[in-house]
Each structure stands twice: as structure tokens, then as C-alpha cells.
Amino acid sequence: MVPTMVLLADDSRDAQRREALCGLAEAVAERGEAPVATAFGSPDEVAGALRSVRGPKVVVPAFVAGGDVASARLLSRLDLRSLEDSCRTPPLGAVPSIVADLAGRLSDAGWSRDDGVVLAADGTTGTEERQVVMDVARMLSRRLGSPVQVGYLRTWAPSVVDAVDRLRRNGRENVAVAAWRLVDGPDLDLLRRLDATAITSPLWPSELVVDTLLAQHRAAKGRLV
């Protein structure tokens, strides 16, 4: 029996974000590799959705590490150990193909080699997620051949605004922002209001995201045997 992939995220903040997450779930289901269920919403809604899935399941976070405070907090407060025949994967992180896609999105947004770059994350209270964000920044810097500053919208310092200002003070007149976000939503709107030269689109929609989520599912389901 193929375990159900249960995509998990907090989608309670915005209808646009909810629509994007549902579109992602539909795209994963259309591959036909595994049954797909969603656990989106408030903590109570997510817990209820998880309990309603029968049989073996792999809980897959539908967000990137350090890129969604609300979803990371939701995941950390769930008692997944009480779910029988289940396991979970980590949030998407420093995957080379995803970082390469982010670099491509910077170029598509108008970044040039002389521009500064800020990797804009959300932040969480977890040190593991912070390390993932730093790893992504280092990988992105190597791929671009240019320094990458990290800035955060919440919880951690420096802020995205501070990171952009620092680059400008250091002579980078143009600064591009690489949005470390899986789907569109209110956080992207905050970034779009920054005084930045360019900003990337979120990682989804992209078939690469679907590929990576399914790869996580395949790797995790062996733990249920």
C-alpha cells in the first residue's frame, strides 16, 4: 500500500496563499505516484485533517525551512508521534536544484552581476532552520559568483530592510531580493514594497517543487515498512 502524502501548512492568513497551496497539492496528485491529502489551516484544522487520513501516511511540510514562521510553529506543536503508521519529512531546504532555480529566478527578475543580493527568509525559533537558510545563501552565492546577504522578516536579525541598506552603503546601488518562499501570499507583498531593484517570484509554481516533494515522499515511505 502506497502511503498517503499529507501536505501540511498554515493557510489561515490569506486566500491567495490558500489557493496557491491547493494548486500545489493538485499538481502533486496529478503525477499519480501517491495519494495526496492536505492538512492546511489552523492548528485544530490541521490536527483534524491528519486524524482523518486512514492508513500509512507521510507528512510533508508544504513550506521551505526558515521561510514560513506560522507553518513551522504549527508543525512544531503537533504531536505526530500519536499518529499510527506515519512519519514526516523536513521542510524543503538547501536542495541544489531548488537553489539553481532560485538563481534563475533572480536573472529572470533582472539581476545582473554588479547588483547586490539579499536572500529574504521569514525566520523561525529553530536553529536548524536558520542553518538551512545560511546553507541556501552560501549555495546561491557560489552559483551566482556574487556575495549574498541574508535578511529576515520576522524573529531574527538582520531584517531584510537592514540587509538591503547595508548593501547600498557598501556601494551596491542596485539590490535584488531572492524570496525564500514556496508560495505567494502576504509575505511576498511585504517584500514587493521594499526599495529593491528586483524581487523573485515564489518557488511554486514549478515542476521542480513537485519533483522534490515526491522524492521526499519516496525516501520517507521506506521508514514505514
Side-chain angles (χ1 to χ4, degrees), residues 7 15 19 26-27 41-42 46 58 66 77-78 87 95 99 107 124 131 154 156 159 177 179 182 202 215:
L7 291 169
E19 182 179 356
E26 290 172 4
S42 67
V46 166
V58 178
R77 292 168 183 168
L78 287 173
C87 65
V95 178
V99 176
S107 296
T124 73
Q131 184 59 54
R154 299 177 179 86
W156 296 331
S159 69
V177 173
L182 185 62

Side-chain angles (χ1 to χ4, degrees), residues 168-182:
R168 292 252 167 80
R169 290 195 301 271
N170 290 338
R172 301 274 185 169
E173 182 177 349
N174 295 324
V175 178
V177 173
W180 186 234
R181 293 290 186 284
L182 185 62

Side-chain angles (χ1 to χ4, degrees), residues 29-46:
E30 285 172 0
R31 292 287 187 90
E33 186 171 324
V36 176
T38 59
F40 298 153
S42 67
D44 288 343
E45 290 169 331
V46 166

Side-chain angles (χ1 to χ4, degrees), residues 53-155:
V53 178
R54 304 302 178 190
K57 48 191 156 291
V58 178
V59 178
V60 180
F63 57 93
V64 293
D68 187 341
V69 165
S71 292
R73 285 177 175 163
L74 184 155
L75 181 61
S76 68
R77 292 168 183 168
L78 287 173
D79 182 15
L80 297 179
R81 293 172 298 180
S82 65
L83 295 175
E84 293 184 2
D85 207 9
S86 66
C87 65
R88 54 156 288 194
T89 71
L92 296 176
V95 178
S97 56
I98 287 181
V99 176
D101 184 57
L102 186 58
R105 289 168 186 268
L106 276 168
S107 296
D108 292 343
W111 173 82
S112 68
R113 201 172 185 84
D114 293 330
D115 297 345
V117 179
V118 173
L119 179 69
D122 203 9
T124 73
T125 56
T127 56
E128 288 184 10
E129 289 202 337
R130 183 163 191 162
Q131 184 59 54
V132 170
V133 173
M134 298 305 296
D135 290 343
V136 170
R138 282 192 288 269
M139 292 168 65
L140 184 61
S141 177
R142 286 196 297 269
R143 180 162 286 275
L144 296 174
S146 180
V148 173
Q149 299 284 322
V150 176
Y152 301 100
L153 281 175
R154 299 177 179 86
T155 10

Side-chain angles (χ1 to χ4, degrees), residues 187-211:
D187 291 343
L188 265 295
D189 293 336
L190 291 175
L191 293 177
R192 291 181 183 113
R193 291 198 287 268
L194 290 174
D195 181 24
T197 308
I199 179 171
T200 66
S201 59
L203 296 171
W204 168 256
S206 166
E207 290 302 309
L208 178 61
V209 171
V210 177
D211 293 341

